[in-house]
Amino acid sequence: MPASLLRELNSLLGSSNVLHKNEDLVLYEYDGSVEKARPDLVVFPHTTEDVSRIVKLAAKYNVPVVGRGSGTGLSGGALARGGGILIVFARMNRILELDLENARAVVQPGVVNLDITRAVEHAGLYFAPDPSSQKSCTIGGNVAENAGGPHTLAYGVTVNHVTALELVLPDGEIVRVGSKHGDTPGYDLCGLFVGSEGTLALVTEITVKLTRKAEAVKTLLAIFDAVDDASNTVAEITARGITPAACEMVDGWTLCAIEDYIHAGFPRDSAAILLIEVEGLREAVEAQAAAVEDVCRTHHAREVRIAKDDCERDLLWKGRKNAFGALGRLAPSSYVLDGVIPRSKLPQALQQISQIGKKYGFSIGNIFHAGDGNLHPIVLYDPRDPRQFENAIAASHEILSYCVELGGALTGEHGVGMEKNELMPLLFSDADFDLMRRVHDACNPDSSLNPGKIFPLSKGCGEIRVRKQAETLPAHV
Amino acid sequence: MTATANLATRLEGILGAHRVVAAEAELREYAIDGMVPGAIVHPASAQEAAEIVRFAITEKLAIVATGSRSKLDLGMPPARYDIALDMTGLHEIAHFDPGDLTLSVDAGMPLRHLANVLSEKGQFLPLAVPCYETSTVAGALASGIDSTLRKQYGTARDFLIGAEFVDGQGAPCKSGGRVVKNVTGYDLHKLLVGSLGTLAVITRLNFRTFTLPQARGGHLACFSNLEGASSYCDAIEKCGLPLANLETLSPEMVALTAAALRETNAEFAGHLDPAKWCVCASFEGSEAVVPRIARDLQKLASETAAADSEILDAASDAHLGSVSREAFDWLRWASPSAALFRIVLPQSKPGDLAALLCVAQESSLRSALLVRAAAIIYFVLLAETEDESALHTLENAAAGVFFLAGAGQGHATLLHAPLKLKSRVNVWGPKRADLGMMQRVKHSFDPQSIFAPGRFVGGI
């Protein structure tokens, strides 16, 4: 990395907003995935103009740029795979406007997801997308990955809650797309940029919709002695047209780990539980809760417990949302997968995951958004053992391939990043990639933004044309 | 041999004579604002559609993909129009998994037929769009026209989960998939919504479906002025009642709606008072929820001093809903020269709406206004003649409408107007800051600009 670039960045942002020492950079070489990549420089912009100037400098020095929120991503999306400058948005963390009357918030990308809800809950509003990491993940990261969460079953993922974006393109141009109130004439550019994993532009301002809190809510804990019964319950809830606000499944092995850590009140002797939440008008909630309970009983639920108050409800959700942390106590590392299947195929998918785990000698935990078929198998492994790491990757590929075989997809909410880009040809043809590539190049012609993500790099995968990305990446990638 | 006959002959060489039409009378049925195509082609598969696209690329011809042709006057007429690609021959359900509530359907499937198939499994697609009885699924999606159910179910972008289409290089492509949650690759299918066929030829669409509600209900409240109606709507929003639709009608719109209802000959038990502002609510849910919402609306209407309010029986609500769904269609023909705008403003304030009505009054034009789901305003200016004087008046008033929309941090689109007026005003409103980005997207999909050139924003 040229010394003059560091000097220019220091001059632009001040040295307190630039990291260049190895001991600092090492903190930014990982995210929540199993991937690693160390940036050459880390910078902390405070304004959109800062971002624009950084990008222009990067272009001048022909250095790649990668955006990053709080680094909780699970697909390596915020890792500087090709080195270069990592733009960390932690200091662009202001809520710029709250328009409660119109249920909108305008925020900078570094605002933490849950902080939006905290700022508006006094008015009976909240920000609906609720990833498990919502206490620490940023809205900018949510936009990049089109993040979901348990309650997106009823309320949709991030893209359904974004109406406008301010973007910085690789040449430093600042562009606004969408509008505060949505329904902008023209192409749905917000729909394109949300979920583009930072490969088209850097997002510097986001306008989000706020959702009104429901009148009533009930949280049910259904306990099963057989995983098949739990998964059949989910399939029937879907088939009956009951749409809970959330429908989460946790297997018995994972439950024990959670109980050891959180003491949420989950049973230690069950095969699986479903955590189901219904929301809406009081009358609707009563009817839905009764219908859900009926389906659970039909499928041999040992017990269906309804949280008696907010305290018990919060504890159950705390258990669910901290499950990954709980499993982390059991092994040196864990690999959280993210496949999607048609909901009617849930029972067979879980059976296959179990068999794949046995084949590779792993205990695979399952804690996932069952209601929308978004699986999160968790492989516990020791990364110091290269064979275990290779097997974890192989098991992951086998599971995701099976998801595709069932008519599903490679990722429901974590993104493709550098974790699954080589699997993309399982779903997409050369023509599909060509079009995606053209859209990519229309925004990011030199692949200077977040290179090495989404698109497969290996020539074996349908001979995908990745000339520009390959040129941008260092030889070792 | 004329150019048209020559084109038809070459197209027949690709798909056979039975798939190509060049008779003048039929060509006129595919006219867009008076522009007639050189030939009509009826592909029976995505591969055949792709063959025609590749032919058009080679020959530098412009294609407009059509469905039932009920909304071809949206946007500007195309700058070039050689081939009308009639997609109604692609009309199968490729995949329907009722247990997963997912659907994959060919572009030309009529919405009505699709609804019949889905209802057999107790499901539906919440695309309640105008010209419903004839519209095709891809036409409805590409038109971007509002569904009256958007308040509850969102717009098509919210439940479209994937698409297959032929891009501007003649390649069959896809985006998304058939699962309800998916972030694999770019969401290119979202760009197709409201794109007026300027990006690709849609061949198949994947949706999540929804369960038919147990019960539906309706409610009507009339107010002596706009302020009363607005207070009532605000109160509804604040208490968060889950409504499928909420519409505020100006007195003139009430009269037009009543007339449209009479034309259907359907029995309507409610009372639409053309001297009042009326607020129509539709709602659905369980047998317990529907009466609860009706009671709450009655209470709110009373608290906000409604002149009159009533709970509608299910049949009356359905009839009113159908007429409201078709408002775009009948408003287009409500006078010899009608200019119909779609305006988006933040929680439409009484002052903003009054200012729109003032524009009409100052121009001595009749007008009618409908506010849908709090923020979408359908505003029609009605001139009684088609002469130059009427056009001039409409042109000035249109400028006022676009100005007010911009001043209110919103935007306006002229959905329908006489061609002469469309050629004088920018139907898409003032130039947008993101036009350059849209042009980049267009070029990515359609580098030679063969798809409906000129119909879209900024001449795209």
Side-chain angles (χ1 to χ4, degrees):
Chain A
M1 190 62 47
S4 57
L5 173 59
L6 177 59
R7 275 199 304 277
E8 288 201 56
L9 284 168
N10 276 333
S11 160
L12 181 68
L13 302 170
S15 57
S16 61
N17 291 311
V18 181
L19 300 178
H20 62 93
K21 293 177 186 164
N22 212 34
E23 59 267 35
D24 291 328
L25 299 176
V26 74
L27 296 173
Y28 294 90
E29 72 174 15
Y30 62 89
D31 62 359
S33 71
V34 296
E35 312 288 348
K36 274 188 180 182
R38 193 171 302 178
D40 296 304
L41 292 165
V42 173
V43 295
F44 300 91
H46 288 251
T47 65
T48 299
E49 288 68 32
D50 282 350
V51 177
S52 172
R53 290 183 195 118
I54 294 164
V55 165
K56 283 177 184 167
L57 262 184
K60 178 178 152 186
Y61 285 91
N62 197 22
V63 167
V65 171
V66 179
R68 181 179 171 104
S70 51
T72 56
L74 291 156
S75 60
L79 297 183
R81 186 174 200 180
I85 301 171
L86 193 67
I87 300 184
V88 178
F89 286 99
R91 295 175 193 174
M92 283 179 72
N93 61 350
R94 285 185 300 133
I95 294 176
L96 301 172
E97 183 192 347
L98 291 178
D99 180 353
L100 301 180
E101 195 180 3
N102 288 298
R104 294 288 186 277
V106 183
V107 303
Q108 290 187 311
V111 169
V112 168
N113 173 298
L114 194 58
D115 285 349
I116 301 178
T117 293
R118 284 179 175 142
V120 299
E121 60 191 350
H122 67 278
L125 299 167
Y126 71 107
F127 180 57
D130 63 336
S132 294
S133 55
Q134 70 180 141
K135 285 182 186 166
S136 50
C137 67
T138 64
I139 182 68
N142 295 168
V143 167
E145 303 298 323
N146 195 9
H151 289 82
T152 54
L153 174 57
Y155 298 103
V157 290
T158 302
V159 71
N160 304 111
H161 301 269
V162 171
T163 64
L165 297 169
E166 181 188 69
L167 309 163
V168 174
L169 300 178
D171 61 1
E173 184 188 352
I174 300 167
V175 179
R176 301 187 78 91
V177 301
S179 67
K180 186 173 178 184
H181 304 288
D183 283 286
T184 318
Y187 300 133
D188 179 12
L189 295 175
C190 278
L192 171 66
F193 283 99
V194 175
S196 59
E197 305 194 19
T199 62
L200 301 180
L202 292 162
V203 176
T204 50
E205 186 187 295
I206 302 116
T207 304
V208 297
K209 289 182 196 171
L210 303 170
T211 304
R212 192 161 291 282
K213 277 186 189 165
E215 177 183 280
V217 55
K218 272 196 176 184
T219 308
L220 295 89
L221 176 70
I223 301 166
F224 295 86
D225 290 326
V227 173
D228 275 359
D229 286 337
S231 45
N232 284 323
T233 298
V234 175
E236 190 172 335
I237 285 174
T238 309
R240 280 206 203 178
I242 305 166
T243 307
C247 179
E248 303 286 296
M249 187 162 160
V250 188
D251 68 19
W253 183 67
T254 310
L255 283 169
C256 291
I258 294 173
E259 272 310 286
D260 288 344
Y261 181 40
I262 303 286
H263 312 297
F266 292 141
R268 288 176 179 276
D269 60 345
S270 69
I273 61 109
L274 292 174
L275 187 60
I276 302 168
E277 198 150 87
V278 287
E279 289 186 356
L281 295 183
R282 279 184 302 278
E283 293 83 350
V285 166
E286 290 299 330
Q288 285 210 321
V292 166
E293 186 169 350
D294 180 52
V295 178
C296 293
R297 302 268 184 218
T298 302
H299 290 281
H300 320 297
R302 182 214 300 174
E303 183 185 348
V304 181
R305 204 186 291 166
I306 296 178
K308 60 183 180 302
D309 52 28
D310 283 352
C311 188
E312 188 176 349
R313 173 178 179 252
D314 290 346
L315 190 59
L316 290 172
W317 278 111
K318 188 179 172 192
R320 162 61 186 91
K321 292 201 172 183
N322 288 285
F324 295 157
L327 284 171
R329 289 155 42 105
L330 301 184
S333 193
S334 59
Y335 185 10
V336 183
L337 311 186
D338 173 41
V340 197
I341 52 157
R343 294 166 287 186
S344 46
K345 306 278 175 61
L346 192 54
Q348 66 197 85
L350 290 181
Q351 286 164 14
Q352 183 70 10
I353 289 168
S354 171
Q355 282 173 19
I356 292 170
K358 281 179 191 152
K359 173 179 164 186
Y360 287 97
F362 292 119
S363 296
I364 296 182
N366 282 294
I367 174 158
F368 60 99
H369 314 305
D372 40 27
N374 189 185
L375 306 173
H376 288 320
I378 304 170
V379 182
L380 299 184
Y381 73 102
D382 185 346
R384 294 164 297 190
D385 176 350
R387 186 162 174 76
Q388 275 200 42
F389 180 71
E390 280 168 23
N391 280 342
I393 300 295
S396 147
H397 288 186
E398 217 164 297
I399 289 169
L400 292 173
S401 300
Y402 187 67
C403 289
V404 173
E405 206 176 298
L406 289 180
L410 293 171
T411 168
E413 56 183 8
H414 294 175
V416 176
M418 56 193 275
E419 181 208 12
K420 292 184 276 273
N421 56 329
E422 300 303 339
L423 297 178
M424 288 285 274
L426 290 173
L427 276 176
F428 295 108
S429 68
D430 284 3
D432 302 334
F433 282 119
D434 267 348
L435 178 58
M436 278 195 268
R437 166 62 58 197
R438 294 201 300 274
V439 172
H440 172 276
D441 289 355
C443 300
N444 183 15
D446 300 318
S447 286
S448 54
L449 279 187
N450 213 4
K453 308 294 170 66
I454 298 182
F455 295 90
L457 300 176
S458 65
K459 289 283 183 185
C461 295
E463 292 299 317
I464 305 308
R465 289 191 282 119
V466 288
R467 182 183 53 81
K468 283 177 178 167
Q469 288 213 352
E471 283 170 2
T472 310
L473 293 171
H476 67 269
V477 173
Chain B
M1 188 179 278
T2 65
T4 293
N6 186 29
L7 172 62
T9 306
R10 284 184 294 157
L11 288 165
E12 285 170 7
I14 302 169
L15 295 189
H18 60 299
R19 297 281 170 71
V20 181
V21 176
E24 203 176 321
E26 289 183 65
L27 291 177
R28 275 202 297 274
E29 289 179 18
Y30 288 75
I32 305 176
D33 281 326
M35 271 193 89
V36 176
I40 304 156
V41 182
H42 295 267
S45 67
Q47 292 73 21
E48 290 187 358
E51 281 186 60
I52 299 303
V53 171
R54 287 193 286 271
F55 170 75
I57 293 167
T58 309
E59 301 292 322
K60 297 188 169 31
L61 300 172
I63 291 180
V64 176
T66 65
S68 68
R69 308 185 303 280
S70 57
K71 305 174 196 77
L72 283 179
D73 59 343
L74 287 170
M76 292 300 289
R80 297 174 287 122
Y81 186 14
D82 301 301
I83 300 170
L85 197 62
D86 185 317
M87 299 299 287
T88 54
L90 280 73
H91 51 67
E92 300 296 322
I93 291 179
H95 167 90
F96 176 35
D97 181 352
D100 189 42
L101 284 88
T102 52
L103 167 78
S104 182
V105 62
D106 287 348
M109 164 66 80
L111 284 175
R112 165 54 68 195
H113 181 66
L114 180 61
N116 293 342
V117 173
L118 295 181
S119 70
E120 286 173 15
K121 298 290 182 186
Q123 295 181 19
F124 77 112
L125 191 65
L127 270 179
V129 297
C131 310
Y132 183 81
E133 295 301 331
T134 55
S135 286
T136 61
V137 63
L141 183 116
S143 75
I145 203 82
D146 287 313
S147 159
T148 49
L149 298 174
R150 58 172 290 153
K151 185 168 171 57
Q152 180 148 343
Y153 295 96
T155 59
R157 89 191 278 258
D158 297 309
F159 45 86
L160 176 73
I161 55 176
E164 294 175 29
F165 48 90
V166 180
D167 74 2
Q169 296 196 343
C173 297
K174 67 179 172 301
S175 161
R178 279 200 324 235
V179 283
V180 297
K181 195 172 178 190
N182 187 359
V183 294
T184 318
Y186 297 145
D187 273 358
L188 301 181
H189 50 285
K190 286 198 168 63
L191 292 165
L192 302 175
V193 179
S195 64
L196 292 188
T198 57
L199 291 178
V201 175
I202 299 169
T203 53
R204 188 169 282 173
L205 294 166
N206 303 341
F207 294 100
R208 68 183 295 183
T209 57
F210 295 82
T211 312
L212 284 165
Q214 274 180 10
R216 288 196 169 105
H219 185 268
L220 198 56
C222 298
F223 295 82
S224 53
N225 56 41
L226 167 59
E227 288 70 23
S230 291
S231 303
Y232 171 62
C233 290
D234 285 349
I236 292 172
E237 290 298 326
K238 286 206 174 79
C239 64
L241 279 180
L243 301 179
N245 193 14
L246 180 68
E247 294 188 346
T248 302
L249 281 58
S250 70
E252 185 80 32
M253 188 66 80
V254 175
L256 290 168
T257 303
L261 262 170
R262 280 194 298 275
E263 275 190 26
T264 65
N265 291 322
E267 279 191 28
F268 179 69
H271 177 57
L272 283 168
D273 183 347
K276 300 278 193 315
W277 284 79
C278 286
V279 180
C280 315
S282 292
F283 36 93
E284 54 189 47
S286 67
E287 300 287 2
V289 162
V290 166
R292 148 78 197 278
I293 295 175
R295 281 196 306 274
D296 281 12
L297 290 172
Q298 275 291 65
K299 186 163 171 283
L300 289 171
S302 164
E303 287 168 1
T304 49
D308 191 15
S309 72
E310 58 185 316
I311 297 169
L312 296 176
D313 61 71
S316 293
D317 172 60
H319 294 321
L320 183 57
S322 301
V323 166
S324 169
R325 184 191 68 209
E326 300 298 325
F328 161 81
D329 191 29
W330 47 259
L331 282 173
R332 290 190 285 187
W333 319 113
S335 82
S337 295
L340 174 59
F341 296 87
R342 180 179 183 275
I343 306 162
V344 180
L345 280 173
Q347 293 285 348
S348 306
K349 304 266 190 316
D352 294 332
L353 302 182
L356 285 171
L357 295 172
C358 262
V359 167
Q361 277 169 5
E362 284 168 6
S363 306
S364 301
L365 287 166
R366 265 199 311 140
S367 70
L369 188 149
L370 181 160
V371 185
R372 179 170 292 163
I376 312 291
I377 303 164
Y378 284 86
F379 181 54
V380 65
L381 295 166
L382 301 167
E384 302 308 327
T385 61
E386 298 174 84
D387 57 20
E388 176 56 33
S389 161
L391 283 176
H392 185 68
T393 307
L394 284 172
E395 185 182 354
N396 285 339
V401 171
F402 282 119
F403 173 79
L404 285 173
Q409 288 189 306
H411 40 79
T413 309
L414 183 55
L415 293 180
H416 170 86
L419 179 59
K420 283 182 181 169
L421 180 61
K422 286 168 73 166
S423 62
R424 294 186 198 181
V425 300
N426 185 349
V427 302
W428 298 103
K431 186 180 171 187
R432 295 185 49 82
D434 53 5
L435 178 59
M437 186 55 72
M438 288 189 210
Q439 287 165 332
R440 293 186 198 202
V441 168
K442 165 73 175 179
H443 189 73
S444 310
F445 273 77
D446 180 20
Q448 293 190 41
S449 198
I450 62 162
F451 294 135
R455 280 190 83 191
F456 204 52
V457 178
I460 287 174

